[in-house]
Amino acid sequence: MTAPTMAHRLAAEFVGTFLLVFGGCGAAVFAASPGGGKGIGFSGVALAFGLTVLAGVYAFGTISGGHFNPAVTLGAALARRVEWKALPGYWAIQVIGGLAAGAMIYWIASGRPEFTPTGHMAANGYGEHSPFGYSLAAVVIAETLLTFLFLMVILGATDDRAPKGFAGLAIGLMLTLIHLVSIPISNTSVNPARSTGVAFFNGAGAPAQLWVFWLAPLVGAALAGVLYPLLFGRGEELADRPVRDAALES
């Protein structure tokens, strides 16, 4: 079977990241508490994020690896599951996909009378911009730890030694759990593309705090990418999945 080209892989990462941000953040903006009334709440938003990544991994994982997250790509590169030369393109297209989804959420939400995007675009934040006022230190610890655990689950579920066909389920459930834990802390990032996608539409301090939601997830992912092979060994040198292009195959 012919390996996907880099163009195919980047297209898959764009669509998958768009799906993740639009599905997760869209659920928070449109359905968490519609019109100030009862909605799906934190639990519903957590499930929405989990379902979007589950669907994306099963739909596009065989094409691009199903990262949809710059932190995942970094951890995968460090664990030798994806080639380093793919990282810049993956990061760029993931951010573009997130921004496209943020723009679509903004345009749709603007069709509701009296909607204002300021502070209402599901942005991440700390201090006064945290849902419950958590400090910078608390947010950094939570985002770093949860991204580390997320990558450990991803690397374990996609290991050649893992049962086949269940990776998307494990990853989706883990992302749901992460959101159940950390929506009150930071509105949950663990994904710089997700944070970037809505920050500039949200305003209200979100762009100025965006650095945290790049730094902490990347640190957590890097730790997992280094430690997973050391702790559990390596079942593969480069994943024999869509992360190989024709040059690597040869």
Side-chain angles (χ1 to χ4, degrees), residues 50-171:
L51 289 173
T52 57
V53 78
L54 186 154
V57 167
Y58 280 124
F60 307 114
T62 55
I63 300 171
S64 69
H67 296 182
F68 320 139
N69 180 340
V72 172
T73 303
L74 176 63
L78 286 166
R80 300 194 65 181
R81 303 288 186 86
V82 66
E83 69 276 28
W84 279 101
K85 68 179 183 180
L87 188 142
Y90 269 46
W91 277 20
I93 206 68
Q94 288 158 356
V95 170
I96 293 169
L99 286 167
M104 190 61 64
I105 293 169
Y106 170 79
W107 288 332
I108 294 172
S110 297
R112 191 181 79 197
E114 301 180 1
F115 172 78
T116 174
T118 305
H120 298 98
M121 285 290 293
N124 304 115
Y126 61 84
E128 64 179 335
H129 302 296
S130 158
F132 285 86
Y134 280 83
S135 68
L136 171 60
V139 168
V140 168
I141 292 169
E143 288 285 335
T144 303
L145 174 61
L146 290 169
T147 309
F148 170 81
L149 295 173
F150 189 36
L151 263 292
M152 293 294 276
V153 168
I154 291 172
L155 294 172
T158 57
D159 195 302
D160 274 356
R161 297 163 290 184
K164 304 305 177 188
F166 293 97
L169 186 61
I171 294 166

